[in-house]
Tab-separated table of all heavy atoms in Angstrom:
chain	number	residue	atom	x	y	z
A	1	MET	N	-14.971	7.832	-1.499
A	1	MET	CA	-14.083	8.912	-1.310
A	1	MET	C	-14.776	9.920	-0.383
A	1	MET	O	-15.832	10.459	-0.681
A	1	MET	CB	-13.724	9.574	-2.609
A	1	MET	CG	-12.920	10.828	-2.473
A	1	MET	SD	-12.166	11.539	-3.861
A	1	MET	CE	-13.276	11.395	-5.194
A	2	ASN	N	-14.201	10.184	0.802
A	2	ASN	CA	-14.809	11.083	1.734
A	2	ASN	C	-14.037	12.446	1.637
A	2	ASN	O	-12.901	12.530	2.046
A	2	ASN	CB	-14.707	10.549	3.105
A	2	ASN	CG	-15.376	11.411	4.161
A	2	ASN	OD1	-16.036	12.407	3.784
A	2	ASN	ND2	-15.269	11.080	5.407
A	3	THR	N	-14.709	13.451	1.091
A	3	THR	CA	-13.973	14.746	0.933
A	3	THR	C	-14.430	15.802	1.882
A	3	THR	O	-14.061	16.911	1.846
A	3	THR	CB	-14.247	15.286	-0.496
A	3	THR	OG1	-15.611	15.415	-0.731
A	3	THR	CG2	-13.643	14.385	-1.536
A	4	PHE	N	-15.337	15.401	2.863
A	4	PHE	CA	-15.816	16.328	3.869
A	4	PHE	C	-14.650	16.559	4.860
A	4	PHE	O	-14.118	15.635	5.469
A	4	PHE	CB	-17.013	15.693	4.567
A	4	PHE	CG	-17.726	16.661	5.439
A	4	PHE	CD1	-18.365	17.753	4.894
A	4	PHE	CD2	-17.787	16.449	6.840
A	4	PHE	CE1	-19.028	18.642	5.705
A	4	PHE	CE2	-18.450	17.357	7.635
A	4	PHE	CZ	-19.111	18.413	7.075
A	5	PRO	N	-14.269	17.836	5.039
A	5	PRO	CA	-13.049	18.132	5.795
A	5	PRO	C	-13.231	18.078	7.282
A	5	PRO	O	-12.290	18.292	8.054
A	5	PRO	CB	-12.659	19.481	5.297
A	5	PRO	CG	-13.934	20.128	4.942
A	5	PRO	CD	-14.701	19.003	4.376
A	6	TYR	N	-14.445	17.826	7.778
A	6	TYR	CA	-14.678	17.819	9.261
A	6	TYR	C	-15.083	16.455	9.699
A	6	TYR	O	-15.577	15.623	8.970
A	6	TYR	CB	-15.808	18.857	9.605
A	6	TYR	CG	-15.421	20.297	9.174
A	6	TYR	CD1	-15.993	20.829	8.068
A	6	TYR	CD2	-14.551	21.003	9.910
A	6	TYR	CE1	-15.662	22.098	7.646
A	6	TYR	CE2	-14.201	22.283	9.519
A	6	TYR	CZ	-14.736	22.853	8.358
A	6	TYR	OH	-14.420	24.085	8.018
A	7	ASP	N	-14.935	16.222	11.012
A	7	ASP	CA	-15.275	14.893	11.637
A	7	ASP	C	-16.818	14.788	11.759
A	7	ASP	O	-17.255	13.653	11.742
A	7	ASP	CB	-14.603	14.767	12.993
A	7	ASP	CG	-13.073	14.687	12.831
A	7	ASP	OD1	-12.606	14.199	11.759
A	7	ASP	OD2	-12.381	15.089	13.767
A	8	SER	N	-17.534	15.859	11.936
A	8	SER	CA	-18.957	15.814	12.161
A	8	SER	C	-19.567	17.143	11.643
A	8	SER	O	-18.863	18.108	11.447
A	8	SER	CB	-19.294	15.614	13.619
A	8	SER	OG	-18.937	16.767	14.376
A	9	TRP	N	-20.912	17.153	11.522
A	9	TRP	CA	-21.584	18.371	11.139
A	9	TRP	C	-21.504	19.390	12.201
A	9	TRP	O	-21.440	20.603	11.909
A	9	TRP	CB	-23.068	18.040	10.853
A	9	TRP	CG	-23.294	17.482	9.479
A	9	TRP	CD1	-23.613	16.208	9.156
A	9	TRP	CD2	-23.139	18.173	8.234
A	9	TRP	NE1	-23.636	16.035	7.780
A	9	TRP	CE2	-23.419	17.238	7.209
A	9	TRP	CE3	-22.840	19.481	7.931
A	9	TRP	CZ2	-23.374	17.582	5.834
A	9	TRP	CZ3	-22.801	19.799	6.565
A	9	TRP	CH2	-23.068	18.869	5.549
A	10	GLU	N	-21.446	19.019	13.419
A	10	GLU	CA	-21.294	20.016	14.556
A	10	GLU	C	-19.950	20.715	14.411
A	10	GLU	O	-19.924	21.980	14.599
A	10	GLU	CB	-21.364	19.297	15.893
A	10	GLU	CG	-22.777	18.799	16.271
A	10	GLU	CD	-23.122	17.433	15.569
A	10	GLU	OE1	-22.164	16.727	15.111
A	10	GLU	OE2	-24.298	17.193	15.402
A	11	ALA	N	-18.931	20.019	14.088
A	11	ALA	CA	-17.577	20.682	13.915
A	11	ALA	C	-17.680	21.629	12.697
A	11	ALA	O	-17.082	22.738	12.766
A	11	ALA	CB	-16.518	19.657	13.672
A	12	ALA	N	-18.357	21.276	11.685
A	12	ALA	CA	-18.453	22.105	10.453
A	12	ALA	C	-19.265	23.367	10.789
A	12	ALA	O	-18.919	24.463	10.348
A	12	ALA	CB	-19.133	21.336	9.348
A	13	ILE	N	-20.308	23.209	11.547
A	13	ILE	CA	-21.189	24.402	11.877
A	13	ILE	C	-20.389	25.325	12.824
A	13	ILE	O	-20.459	26.577	12.666
A	13	ILE	CB	-22.439	23.901	12.545
A	13	ILE	CG1	-23.353	23.210	11.492
A	13	ILE	CG2	-23.185	25.093	13.193
A	13	ILE	CD1	-24.561	22.473	12.025
A	14	GLN	N	-19.597	24.752	13.777
A	14	GLN	CA	-18.786	25.614	14.609
A	14	GLN	C	-17.705	26.362	13.824
A	14	GLN	O	-17.368	27.515	14.168
A	14	GLN	CB	-18.169	24.795	15.720
A	14	GLN	CG	-19.171	24.348	16.803
A	14	GLN	CD	-18.487	23.394	17.792
A	14	GLN	OE1	-17.317	23.118	17.683
A	14	GLN	NE2	-19.244	23.084	18.830
A	15	ALA	N	-17.126	25.704	12.827
A	15	ALA	CA	-16.066	26.340	12.023
A	15	ALA	C	-16.622	27.372	11.036
A	15	ALA	O	-15.883	28.269	10.636
A	15	ALA	CB	-15.251	25.238	11.317
A	16	ALA	N	-17.857	27.290	10.690
A	16	ALA	CA	-18.459	28.236	9.741
A	16	ALA	C	-18.574	29.601	10.367
A	16	ALA	O	-19.183	29.742	11.414
A	16	ALA	CB	-19.806	27.734	9.278
A	17	ASP	N	-18.043	30.543	9.685
A	17	ASP	CA	-18.231	32.004	10.163
A	17	ASP	C	-19.183	32.772	9.298
A	17	ASP	O	-19.345	33.975	9.563
A	17	ASP	CB	-16.848	32.631	10.355
A	17	ASP	CG	-16.103	32.683	8.994
A	17	ASP	OD1	-16.630	32.263	7.986
A	17	ASP	OD2	-14.968	33.218	9.024
A	18	GLY	N	-19.619	32.230	8.203
A	18	GLY	CA	-20.562	32.859	7.369
A	18	GLY	C	-19.964	33.752	6.272
A	18	GLY	O	-20.664	34.344	5.487
A	19	THR	N	-18.642	33.877	6.240
A	19	THR	CA	-17.946	34.706	5.288
A	19	THR	C	-17.309	33.875	4.185
A	19	THR	O	-16.850	34.437	3.150
A	19	THR	CB	-16.875	35.592	5.963
A	19	THR	OG1	-15.865	34.746	6.542
A	19	THR	CG2	-17.557	36.495	6.964
A	20	THR	N	-17.152	32.588	4.326
A	20	THR	CA	-16.524	31.775	3.314
A	20	THR	C	-17.478	30.675	2.848
A	20	THR	O	-18.310	30.207	3.593
A	20	THR	CB	-15.254	31.067	3.891
A	20	THR	OG1	-15.615	30.226	5.009
A	20	THR	CG2	-14.217	32.129	4.344
A	21	GLY	N	-17.316	30.331	1.589
A	21	GLY	CA	-18.123	29.260	1.029
A	21	GLY	C	-17.478	27.938	1.172
A	21	GLY	O	-16.307	27.806	1.637
A	22	TYR	N	-18.160	26.872	0.815
A	22	TYR	CA	-17.619	25.568	0.885
A	22	TYR	C	-17.661	24.909	-0.464
A	22	TYR	O	-18.729	24.797	-1.113
A	22	TYR	CB	-18.353	24.698	1.857
A	22	TYR	CG	-17.853	23.233	1.854
A	22	TYR	CD1	-16.707	22.847	2.449
A	22	TYR	CD2	-18.663	22.294	1.176
A	22	TYR	CE1	-16.283	21.606	2.398
A	22	TYR	CE2	-18.184	20.935	1.112
A	22	TYR	CZ	-17.070	20.641	1.731
A	22	TYR	OH	-16.600	19.368	1.689
A	23	PHE	N	-16.487	24.634	-1.031
A	23	PHE	CA	-16.341	23.899	-2.313
A	23	PHE	C	-15.477	22.698	-2.067
A	23	PHE	O	-14.406	22.796	-1.449
A	23	PHE	CB	-15.786	24.797	-3.423
A	23	PHE	CG	-16.731	25.901	-3.798
A	23	PHE	CD1	-16.706	27.166	-3.197
A	23	PHE	CD2	-17.675	25.639	-4.805
A	23	PHE	CE1	-17.571	28.129	-3.623
A	23	PHE	CE2	-18.546	26.586	-5.159
A	23	PHE	CZ	-18.521	27.888	-4.582
A	24	THR	N	-15.955	21.577	-2.564
A	24	THR	CA	-15.234	20.354	-2.314
A	24	THR	C	-13.782	20.403	-2.767
A	24	THR	O	-12.870	19.987	-2.046
A	24	THR	CB	-15.998	19.164	-2.954
A	24	THR	OG1	-17.306	19.126	-2.511
A	24	THR	CG2	-15.319	17.838	-2.626
A	25	TRP	N	-13.533	20.817	-4.000
A	25	TRP	CA	-12.219	20.851	-4.551
A	25	TRP	C	-11.795	22.303	-4.837
A	25	TRP	O	-11.376	22.689	-5.953
A	25	TRP	CB	-12.101	20.018	-5.836
A	25	TRP	CG	-12.258	18.593	-5.569
A	25	TRP	CD1	-11.327	17.782	-5.013
A	25	TRP	CD2	-13.405	17.796	-5.856
A	25	TRP	NE1	-11.809	16.507	-4.941
A	25	TRP	CE2	-13.079	16.501	-5.480
A	25	TRP	CE3	-14.605	17.999	-6.427
A	25	TRP	CZ2	-13.958	15.404	-5.586
A	25	TRP	CZ3	-15.500	16.989	-6.549
A	25	TRP	CH2	-15.156	15.699	-6.099
A	26	GLY	N	-11.895	23.136	-3.870
A	26	GLY	CA	-11.593	24.566	-4.082
A	26	GLY	C	-10.978	25.129	-2.787
A	26	GLY	O	-10.882	24.466	-1.766
A	27	PRO	N	-10.608	26.404	-2.845
A	27	PRO	CA	-9.972	27.018	-1.720
A	27	PRO	C	-10.956	27.343	-0.589
A	27	PRO	O	-10.479	27.630	0.484
A	27	PRO	CB	-9.354	28.285	-2.280
A	27	PRO	CG	-10.211	28.610	-3.466
A	27	PRO	CD	-10.668	27.311	-4.020
A	28	GLY	N	-12.224	27.374	-0.876
A	28	GLY	CA	-13.181	27.677	0.245
A	28	GLY	C	-13.689	29.082	0.306
A	28	GLY	O	-14.477	29.391	1.175
A	29	GLY	N	-13.230	29.968	-0.580
A	29	GLY	CA	-13.668	31.384	-0.613
A	29	GLY	C	-14.961	31.503	-1.378
A	29	GLY	O	-15.459	30.575	-1.968
A	30	ASN	N	-15.523	32.661	-1.314
A	30	ASN	CA	-16.768	32.976	-2.035
A	30	ASN	C	-16.506	33.415	-3.470
A	30	ASN	O	-17.469	33.672	-4.232
A	30	ASN	CB	-17.522	34.030	-1.308
A	30	ASN	CG	-18.261	33.525	-0.120
A	30	ASN	OD1	-18.651	32.385	-0.123
A	30	ASN	ND2	-18.514	34.368	0.871
A	31	THR	N	-15.296	33.504	-3.920
A	31	THR	CA	-14.994	33.915	-5.275
A	31	THR	C	-15.641	32.993	-6.315
A	31	THR	O	-16.265	33.479	-7.321
A	31	THR	CB	-13.456	33.909	-5.514
A	31	THR	OG1	-12.829	34.750	-4.497
A	31	THR	CG2	-13.087	34.396	-6.910
A	32	ALA	N	-15.618	31.689	-6.062
A	32	ALA	CA	-16.258	30.722	-7.006
A	32	ALA	C	-17.723	31.038	-7.084
A	32	ALA	O	-18.361	30.856	-8.155
A	32	ALA	CB	-15.913	29.323	-6.663
A	33	SER	N	-18.382	31.364	-5.983
A	33	SER	CA	-19.829	31.671	-6.000
A	33	SER	C	-20.121	32.845	-6.858
A	33	SER	O	-21.030	32.879	-7.673
A	33	SER	CB	-20.334	31.947	-4.608
A	33	SER	OG	-20.223	30.838	-3.762
A	34	TYR	N	-19.281	33.890	-6.771
A	34	TYR	CA	-19.500	35.074	-7.590
A	34	TYR	C	-19.231	34.740	-9.071
A	34	TYR	O	-20.025	35.244	-9.950
A	34	TYR	CB	-18.587	36.223	-7.146
A	34	TYR	CG	-18.877	36.680	-5.722
A	34	TYR	CD1	-17.846	36.863	-4.840
A	34	TYR	CD2	-20.144	36.911	-5.264
A	34	TYR	CE1	-18.104	37.282	-3.537
A	34	TYR	CE2	-20.448	37.295	-4.025
A	34	TYR	CZ	-19.417	37.527	-3.121
A	34	TYR	OH	-19.673	37.935	-1.853
A	35	VAL	N	-18.249	33.995	-9.362
A	35	VAL	CA	-17.916	33.688	-10.753
A	35	VAL	C	-19.072	32.802	-11.321
A	35	VAL	O	-19.531	33.109	-12.485
A	35	VAL	CB	-16.611	32.925	-10.835
A	35	VAL	CG1	-16.393	32.330	-12.198
A	35	VAL	CG2	-15.426	33.785	-10.482
A	36	LEU	N	-19.580	31.846	-10.633
A	36	LEU	CA	-20.638	31.004	-11.088
A	36	LEU	C	-21.931	31.849	-11.298
A	36	LEU	O	-22.676	31.670	-12.220
A	36	LEU	CB	-20.914	29.874	-10.148
A	36	LEU	CG	-19.870	28.748	-10.149
A	36	LEU	CD1	-20.170	27.743	-9.090
A	36	LEU	CD2	-19.757	28.086	-11.503
A	37	ALA	N	-22.231	32.748	-10.358
A	37	ALA	CA	-23.409	33.623	-10.556
A	37	ALA	C	-23.261	34.515	-11.705
A	37	ALA	O	-24.211	34.653	-12.509
A	37	ALA	CB	-23.576	34.426	-9.245
A	38	PHE	N	-22.091	35.085	-11.954
A	38	PHE	CA	-21.887	35.943	-13.123
A	38	PHE	C	-22.073	35.153	-14.396
A	38	PHE	O	-22.650	35.636	-15.357
A	38	PHE	CB	-20.471	36.605	-13.031
A	38	PHE	CG	-20.186	37.458	-14.202
A	38	PHE	CD1	-20.777	38.705	-14.318
A	38	PHE	CD2	-19.383	37.026	-15.236
A	38	PHE	CE1	-20.526	39.507	-15.447
A	38	PHE	CE2	-19.112	37.774	-16.311
A	38	PHE	CZ	-19.635	39.044	-16.489
A	39	ILE	N	-21.450	33.952	-14.485
A	39	ILE	CA	-21.630	33.134	-15.660
A	39	ILE	C	-23.043	32.754	-15.880
A	39	ILE	O	-23.531	32.769	-17.045
A	39	ILE	CB	-20.695	31.874	-15.521
A	39	ILE	CG1	-19.254	32.266	-15.610
A	39	ILE	CG2	-21.033	30.825	-16.568
A	39	ILE	CD1	-18.261	31.135	-15.296
A	40	GLY	N	-23.787	32.414	-14.829
A	40	GLY	CA	-25.194	32.084	-14.985
A	40	GLY	C	-26.002	33.284	-15.525
A	40	GLY	O	-26.863	33.106	-16.386
A	41	ILE	N	-25.767	34.439	-15.027
A	41	ILE	CA	-26.493	35.628	-15.473
A	41	ILE	C	-26.175	35.947	-16.925
A	41	ILE	O	-27.009	36.257	-17.709
A	41	ILE	CB	-26.201	36.832	-14.535
A	41	ILE	CG1	-26.859	36.598	-13.147
A	41	ILE	CG2	-26.706	38.124	-15.124
A	41	ILE	CD1	-26.358	37.552	-12.076
A	42	ALA	N	-24.863	35.848	-17.236
A	42	ALA	CA	-24.435	36.158	-18.658
A	42	ALA	C	-25.026	35.148	-19.588
A	42	ALA	O	-25.539	35.542	-20.647
A	42	ALA	CB	-22.898	36.082	-18.676
A	43	VAL	N	-25.072	33.890	-19.271
A	43	VAL	CA	-25.650	32.848	-20.145
A	43	VAL	C	-27.170	33.072	-20.317
A	43	VAL	O	-27.661	32.932	-21.410
A	43	VAL	CB	-25.369	31.445	-19.615
A	43	VAL	CG1	-26.192	30.392	-20.323
A	43	VAL	CG2	-23.850	31.106	-19.795
A	44	SER	N	-27.797	33.452	-19.249
A	44	SER	CA	-29.280	33.725	-19.335
A	44	SER	C	-29.561	34.900	-20.256
A	44	SER	O	-30.495	34.893	-21.085
A	44	SER	CB	-29.836	33.985	-17.944
A	44	SER	OG	-29.667	32.858	-17.106
A	45	VAL	N	-28.808	35.995	-20.082
A	45	VAL	CA	-29.030	37.190	-20.935
A	45	VAL	C	-28.728	36.898	-22.377
A	45	VAL	O	-29.495	37.269	-23.294
A	45	VAL	CB	-28.193	38.387	-20.406
A	45	VAL	CG1	-28.187	39.538	-21.407
A	45	VAL	CG2	-28.731	38.785	-19.018
A	46	ILE	N	-27.626	36.177	-22.617
A	46	ILE	CA	-27.274	35.820	-24.021
A	46	ILE	C	-28.368	34.960	-24.656
A	46	ILE	O	-28.739	35.154	-25.783
A	46	ILE	CB	-25.861	35.211	-24.083
A	46	ILE	CG1	-24.821	36.274	-23.744
A	46	ILE	CG2	-25.642	34.576	-25.453
A	46	ILE	CD1	-23.457	35.721	-23.542
A	47	ALA	N	-28.794	33.961	-23.872
A	47	ALA	CA	-29.868	33.095	-24.408
A	47	ALA	C	-31.131	33.830	-24.724
A	47	ALA	O	-31.769	33.562	-25.737
A	47	ALA	CB	-30.116	31.884	-23.424
A	48	ALA	N	-31.526	34.769	-23.858
A	48	ALA	CA	-32.716	35.593	-24.060
A	48	ALA	C	-32.586	36.394	-25.333
A	48	ALA	O	-33.526	36.489	-26.147
A	48	ALA	CB	-33.008	36.441	-22.871
A	49	VAL	N	-31.460	37.000	-25.545
A	49	VAL	CA	-31.193	37.793	-26.777
A	49	VAL	C	-31.207	36.890	-28.012
A	49	VAL	O	-31.847	37.239	-28.986
A	49	VAL	CB	-29.879	38.546	-26.672
A	49	VAL	CG1	-29.471	39.215	-27.982
A	49	VAL	CG2	-29.929	39.575	-25.604
A	50	VAL	N	-30.581	35.779	-27.958
A	50	VAL	CA	-30.559	34.845	-29.122
A	50	VAL	C	-32.004	34.408	-29.475
A	50	VAL	O	-32.379	34.391	-30.633
A	50	VAL	CB	-29.657	33.670	-28.862
A	50	VAL	CG1	-29.828	32.541	-29.898
A	50	VAL	CG2	-28.192	34.134	-28.818
A	51	VAL	N	-32.790	33.995	-28.462
A	51	VAL	CA	-34.113	33.544	-28.717
A	51	VAL	C	-34.968	34.671	-29.304
A	51	VAL	O	-35.753	34.454	-30.279
A	51	VAL	CB	-34.776	32.993	-27.414
A	51	VAL	CG1	-36.251	32.823	-27.509
A	51	VAL	CG2	-34.117	31.647	-27.049
A	52	THR	N	-34.848	35.884	-28.743
A	52	THR	CA	-35.659	37.013	-29.202
A	52	THR	C	-35.300	37.350	-30.665
A	52	THR	O	-36.195	37.543	-31.516
A	52	THR	CB	-35.388	38.251	-28.314
A	52	THR	OG1	-35.755	37.921	-26.978
A	52	THR	CG2	-36.231	39.382	-28.798
A	53	VAL	N	-34.025	37.398	-30.980
A	53	VAL	CA	-33.610	37.723	-32.361
A	53	VAL	C	-34.016	36.632	-33.316
A	53	VAL	O	-34.543	36.930	-34.455
A	53	VAL	CB	-32.044	37.904	-32.404
A	53	VAL	CG1	-31.538	37.974	-33.876
A	53	VAL	CG2	-31.645	39.140	-31.676
A	54	ARG	N	-33.902	35.359	-32.930
A	54	ARG	CA	-34.290	34.284	-33.834
A	54	ARG	C	-35.825	34.273	-34.066
A	54	ARG	O	-36.241	34.110	-35.215
A	54	ARG	CB	-33.919	32.949	-33.190
A	54	ARG	CG	-34.260	31.723	-34.030
A	54	ARG	CD	-33.779	30.429	-33.404
A	54	ARG	NE	-34.150	29.325	-34.187
A	54	ARG	CZ	-35.310	28.657	-34.124
A	54	ARG	NH1	-36.192	29.051	-33.214
A	54	ARG	NH2	-35.534	27.617	-34.902
A	55	GLU	N	-36.578	34.505	-33.023
A	55	GLU	CA	-38.041	34.525	-33.188
A	55	GLU	C	-38.453	35.687	-34.037
A	55	GLU	O	-39.364	35.596	-34.868
A	55	GLU	CB	-38.721	34.537	-31.856
A	55	GLU	CG	-38.716	33.217	-31.119
A	55	GLU	CD	-39.418	32.089	-31.883
A	55	GLU	OE1	-40.529	32.351	-32.390
A	55	GLU	OE2	-38.878	30.986	-31.871
A	56	ASP	N	-37.843	36.849	-33.876
A	56	ASP	CA	-38.138	37.963	-34.691
A	56	ASP	C	-37.880	37.720	-36.169
A	56	ASP	O	-38.714	38.038	-37.007
A	56	ASP	CB	-37.383	39.183	-34.210
A	56	ASP	CG	-37.674	40.462	-34.991
A	56	ASP	OD1	-38.892	40.840	-34.995
A	56	ASP	OD2	-36.785	41.045	-35.552
A	57	ARG	N	-36.735	37.079	-36.428
A	57	ARG	CA	-36.439	36.742	-37.800
A	57	ARG	C	-37.384	35.758	-38.398
A	57	ARG	O	-37.828	35.957	-39.574
A	57	ARG	CB	-34.956	36.223	-37.831
A	57	ARG	CG	-34.486	35.936	-39.324
A	57	ARG	CD	-33.044	35.494	-39.335
A	57	ARG	NE	-32.876	34.214	-38.618
A	57	ARG	CZ	-32.041	33.964	-37.582
A	57	ARG	NH1	-31.301	34.942	-37.143
A	57	ARG	NH2	-32.008	32.778	-37.043
A	58	LEU	N	-37.729	34.723	-37.635
A	58	LEU	CA	-38.703	33.735	-38.144
A	58	LEU	C	-40.064	34.349	-38.363
A	58	LEU	O	-40.757	34.044	-39.426
A	58	LEU	CB	-38.813	32.581	-37.188
A	58	LEU	CG	-37.552	31.635	-37.113
A	58	LEU	CD1	-37.759	30.620	-35.973
A	58	LEU	CD2	-37.355	30.952	-38.451
A	59	LEU	N	-40.576	35.187	-37.518
A	59	LEU	CA	-41.910	35.778	-37.663
A	59	LEU	C	-41.940	36.767	-38.800
A	59	LEU	O	-42.931	36.815	-39.504
A	59	LEU	CB	-42.384	36.413	-36.307
A	59	LEU	CG	-42.705	35.443	-35.200
A	59	LEU	CD1	-42.951	36.215	-33.913
A	59	LEU	CD2	-43.877	34.605	-35.573
A	60	ASN	N	-40.856	37.568	-38.968
A	60	ASN	CA	-40.813	38.453	-40.097
A	60	ASN	C	-40.763	37.773	-41.413
A	60	ASN	O	-41.380	38.138	-42.385
A	60	ASN	CB	-39.637	39.428	-39.965
A	60	ASN	CG	-39.834	40.476	-38.937
A	60	ASN	OD1	-40.973	40.844	-38.626
A	60	ASN	ND2	-38.739	40.989	-38.392
A	61	HIS	N	-40.022	36.667	-41.485
A	61	HIS	CA	-39.982	35.786	-42.681
A	61	HIS	C	-41.332	35.235	-43.021
A	61	HIS	O	-41.807	35.259	-44.158
A	61	HIS	CB	-38.993	34.664	-42.503
A	61	HIS	CG	-38.870	33.768	-43.704
A	61	HIS	ND1	-38.392	34.205	-44.917
A	61	HIS	CD2	-39.208	32.502	-43.830
A	61	HIS	CE1	-38.453	33.206	-45.707
A	61	HIS	NE2	-38.912	32.126	-45.139
A	62	ALA	N	-42.031	34.735	-41.959
A	62	ALA	CA	-43.407	34.230	-42.170
A	62	ALA	C	-44.364	35.278	-42.638
A	62	ALA	O	-45.183	35.045	-43.538
A	62	ALA	CB	-43.874	33.523	-40.897
A	63	ALA	N	-44.267	36.490	-42.092
A	63	ALA	CA	-45.138	37.616	-42.471
A	63	ALA	C	-44.897	38.004	-43.891
A	63	ALA	O	-45.828	38.241	-44.638
A	63	ALA	CB	-44.903	38.820	-41.499
A	64	ASP	N	-43.577	38.038	-44.292
A	64	ASP	CA	-43.283	38.317	-45.681
A	64	ASP	C	-43.819	37.326	-46.665
A	64	ASP	O	-44.403	37.645	-47.711
A	64	ASP	CB	-41.743	38.467	-45.849
A	64	ASP	CG	-41.191	39.701	-45.131
A	64	ASP	OD1	-41.988	40.646	-44.814
A	64	ASP	OD2	-39.999	39.722	-44.897
A	65	ARG	N	-43.676	36.073	-46.263
A	65	ARG	CA	-44.226	34.979	-47.127
A	65	ARG	C	-45.722	35.072	-47.274
A	65	ARG	O	-46.273	34.947	-48.413
A	65	ARG	CB	-43.845	33.608	-46.475
A	65	ARG	CG	-43.012	32.732	-47.322
A	65	ARG	CD	-42.752	31.351	-46.717
A	65	ARG	NE	-42.840	31.350	-45.250
A	65	ARG	CZ	-43.652	30.575	-44.549
A	65	ARG	NH1	-44.471	29.780	-45.145
A	65	ARG	NH2	-43.665	30.635	-43.209
A	66	LEU	N	-46.396	35.309	-46.173
A	66	LEU	CA	-47.939	35.429	-46.274
A	66	LEU	C	-48.285	36.645	-47.053
A	66	LEU	O	-49.309	36.677	-47.779
A	66	LEU	CB	-48.457	35.437	-44.900
A	66	LEU	CG	-48.474	34.106	-44.104
A	66	LEU	CD1	-48.845	34.323	-42.686
A	66	LEU	CD2	-49.370	33.077	-44.814
A	67	ALA	N	-47.601	37.747	-46.881
A	67	ALA	CA	-47.884	39.030	-47.635
A	67	ALA	C	-47.744	38.779	-49.117
A	67	ALA	O	-48.579	39.243	-49.898
A	67	ALA	CB	-47.002	40.141	-47.138
A	68	GLU	N	-46.738	38.068	-49.498
A	68	GLU	CA	-46.499	37.760	-50.957
A	68	GLU	C	-47.607	36.819	-51.471
A	68	GLU	O	-48.028	37.015	-52.596
A	68	GLU	CB	-45.131	37.148	-51.174
A	68	GLU	CG	-43.980	38.093	-51.002
A	68	GLU	CD	-42.622	37.427	-51.160
A	68	GLU	OE1	-42.618	36.211	-51.549
A	68	GLU	OE2	-41.640	38.092	-50.842
A	69	LYS	N	-47.989	35.911	-50.578
A	69	LYS	CA	-48.973	34.927	-51.015
A	69	LYS	C	-50.411	35.529	-51.234
A	69	LYS	O	-51.097	35.208	-52.204
A	69	LYS	CB	-49.134	33.800	-50.041
A	69	LYS	CG	-50.138	32.766	-50.330
A	69	LYS	CD	-50.153	31.672	-49.314
A	69	LYS	CE	-51.118	30.586	-49.560
A	69	LYS	NZ	-51.139	29.517	-48.591
A	70	TYR	N	-50.761	36.517	-50.401
A	70	TYR	CA	-52.108	37.064	-50.434
A	70	TYR	C	-52.194	38.458	-51.034
A	70	TYR	O	-53.215	39.034	-51.089
A	70	TYR	CB	-52.711	37.040	-49.034
A	70	TYR	CG	-52.992	35.681	-48.544
A	70	TYR	CD1	-52.203	35.099	-47.576
A	70	TYR	CD2	-54.033	34.887	-49.065
A	70	TYR	CE1	-52.446	33.859	-47.135
A	70	TYR	CE2	-54.279	33.673	-48.634
A	70	TYR	CZ	-53.491	33.053	-47.700
A	70	TYR	OH	-53.780	31.818	-47.268
A	71	ASN	N	-51.124	38.975	-51.569
A	71	ASN	CA	-51.161	40.258	-52.244
A	71	ASN	C	-51.126	40.105	-53.757
A	71	ASN	O	-50.719	39.273	-54.395
A	71	ASN	CB	-49.994	41.153	-51.803
A	71	ASN	CG	-50.334	41.813	-50.461
A	71	ASN	OD1	-51.475	41.864	-50.056
A	71	ASN	ND2	-49.315	42.264	-49.787
């Protein structure tokens, strides 16, 4: 399946004006780039928060266990 819309790379480079993106099954605008970037940033921030909260909970639990054991 050939989904490349141009006959050659030279034709693609000539048609590129630098303001639109290229998506194989999309309209060709930059909107998808912005949406994907926003989703990637959001997932990264959420994952960082989840990892931080989980590690804090685990370390506090371990500290409480050790405090009970040695006090």
Side-chain angles (χ1 to χ4, degrees):
M1 173 168 40
N2 185 6
T3 59
F4 191 66
Y6 300 103
D7 294 331
S8 67
W9 279 108
E10 290 77 23
I13 291 171
Q14 287 176 356
D17 60 0
T19 61
T20 58
Y22 174 76
F23 290 93
T24 305
W25 292 286
N30 281 332
T31 304
S33 295
Y34 297 135
V35 170
L36 289 174
F38 178 76
I39 289 171
I41 292 169
V43 167
S44 298
V45 169
I46 291 169
V49 169
V50 168
V51 166
T52 303
V53 169
R54 181 177 179 272
E55 286 298 317
D56 182 56
R57 186 177 62 237
L58 289 173
L59 289 173
N60 285 335
H61 178 69
D64 292 341
R65 241 181 336 120
L66 288 171
E68 288 176 11
K69 180 178 179 180
Y70 291 107
N71 280 340

